[in-house]
Amino acid sequence: MAANNLGGTYTMTGGITVARMGYGAMQLAGPRVWGPPKDRAEAVAVLRTAVELGVDHIDTADFYGPHVTNQIIKEALAPYADELTVVTKVGSVRDENGGWPHARSPEQLRSQVHENLTNLGVEALDVVNLRVGGGADGHSVVAGSLAEPFGALAEMRKEGLIKHLGVSVVDAAQVAEAQSIAPVVTVQNWYNVAHRGDEQLIESLAAQGISYVPFWPLGGFNPLQSGILDTVAKRLGTSPKAVALAWLLHQAPNVLLIPGTSSVAHLRENIAAATLELPADALADLDRITA
Ligand SMILES: NC(=O)c1ccc[n+]([C@@H]2O[C@H](COP(=O)([O-])OP(=O)(O)OC[C@H]3O[C@@H](n4cnc5c(N)ncnc54)[C@H](OP(=O)(O)O)[C@@H]3O)[C@@H](O)[C@H]2O)c1
């Protein structure tokens, strides 16, 4: 499928070009992102179908499972096509209760980078995001310096273990601090039609050729629910999820999508949303959605 059916392409600073509709691999692990999937064959099929349909941007982390998601990506897709960009993230591990504690000392980050290299089966990671925030809900921005952990990743980039760097769960000041240490090609934050607030950041990243990748485009663990979304979808003869994805693509050219799913059928639906045009009255209605 040509990239124009995937929302077109975007070229980030650093020269990485990807289709704007990508895939997020977190749902490939077991329930609550822990252990093996219910159906490993389906998980492999999701990845292979995504690539067959033209997806060339996959988001992952070695703490999904842990290790499970990366191992399934390797089983399904290695040896990797040159044009595929796999983005992973570091800065957390899993504890025995399935929690996601921070792990950001230079030694911890180095060991996470090596685990990603081994489980993905590559000699260098395409893009590594440092996951910075957390807070009470685990996914919100927390102000503070990222100099030590990002500096450790910049060092590993110089060593050739990492090709490009990004940051996740960050504010504008943290992006700027990261950029003073090493080039940043992508930013990944919580953002969707019902969870806004990053519009200025998206615009300033666009001006610098930095991609903005919203996580939880469909609401993640708390699926998006909105009467307005339902009404707009009905009017357009599509699903609320397709409208939510099309809305994100409409925001700015540097917004790249990584909806997650464990199902080939859902994957196909999500990819099809990249061709959905939202008329002005639909966009106006969607602007009335509140968190
Ligand atoms: N940087 C970070 O801190 C961070 C945090 C969270 C996530 N992420 C990344 O963001 C990606 C996307 O987030 P996410 O997967 O958590 O949430 P999401 O994309 O917002 O939603 C995924 C959920 O929606 C369901 N779904 C997907 N497509 C559907 C469809 N067409 N119809 C019905 N249900 C559908 C999935 O279930 P099914 O499996 O049944 O389809 C799953 O429960 C992740 O894969 C991960 O790579 C990053």
Side-chain angles (χ1 to χ4, degrees):
M1 190 183 276
N4 57 4
N5 287 327
L6 296 166
T9 58
Y10 182 71
T11 301
M12 290 168 239
T13 176
I16 312 164
T17 299
V18 294
R20 293 186 63 216
M21 179 60 78
Y23 171 70
M26 188 170 96
Q27 306 295 336
L28 295 182
R32 306 305 289 181
V33 203
W34 186 258
K38 275 195 301 256
D39 185 343
R40 194 178 176 100
E42 177 82 359
V44 167
V46 167
L47 287 161
R48 290 188 179 154
T49 307
V51 169
E52 275 163 32
L53 294 176
V55 166
D56 57 6
H57 169 207
I58 295 177
D59 188 78
T60 185
D62 205 56
F63 46 78
Y64 295 160
H67 318 304
V68 171
T69 294
N70 279 351
Q71 289 166 355
I72 296 174
I73 291 174
K74 181 178 167 189
E75 177 185 337
L77 301 179
Y80 302 99
D82 287 346
E83 55 274 19
L84 181 69
T85 297
V86 178
V87 179
T88 190
K89 60 189 88 61
V90 294
S92 290
V93 289
R94 302 302 288 279
D95 63 22
E96 61 283 5
N97 302 317
W100 313 68
H102 291 149
R104 296 180 190 153
S105 71
E107 299 71 31
Q108 288 170 318
L109 292 171
R110 185 168 287 276
S111 121
Q112 290 164 38
V113 164
H114 279 285
E115 281 176 342
N116 273 283
L117 289 167
T118 302
N119 288 317
L120 287 169
V122 292
E123 286 179 4
L125 299 168
D126 294 336
V127 184
V128 175
N129 281 330
L130 175 67
R131 198 171 182 285
V132 178
D137 62 11
H139 296 282
S140 292
V141 170
V142 179
S145 175
L146 49 65
E148 186 189 66
F150 198 75
L153 292 179
E155 200 50 49
M156 287 182 263
R157 178 174 163 267
K158 279 195 195 143
E159 292 167 26
L161 300 175
I162 299 171
K163 296 180 192 166
H164 301 279
L165 292 172
V167 281
S168 178
V169 199
V170 283
D171 60 22
Q174 289 167 325
V175 175
E177 188 186 26
Q179 287 181 292
S180 73
I181 297 167
V184 169
V185 303
T186 189
V187 170
Q188 188 173 126
N189 273 359
W190 180 6
Y191 184 75
N192 60 44
V193 69
H195 188 96
R196 307 190 191 190
D198 263 355
E199 291 75 14
Q200 267 191 333
L201 178 62
I202 294 171
E203 204 180 317
S204 88
L205 296 175
Q208 302 172 73
I210 298 173
S211 66
Y212 179 90
V213 182
F215 71 78
W216 290 341
L218 301 172
F221 295 117
N222 299 300
L224 287 175
Q225 284 181 341
S226 151
I228 297 174
L229 207 48
D230 294 347
T231 308
V232 169
K234 207 167 171 190
R235 218 161 63 212
L236 298 177
T238 185
S239 72
K241 289 190 164 57
V243 173
L245 294 176
W247 182 85
L248 283 169
L249 281 177
H250 180 81
Q251 296 312 296
N254 63 326
V255 172
L256 307 179
L257 302 202
I258 52 163
T261 180
S262 55
S263 134
V264 172
H266 289 171
L267 173 82
R268 289 184 185 281
E269 285 172 24
N270 296 345
I271 289 178
T275 53
L276 177 64
E277 296 276 343
L278 295 177
D281 61 338
L283 291 166
D285 285 348
L286 294 170
D287 274 344
R288 291 190 287 109
I289 296 180
T290 49

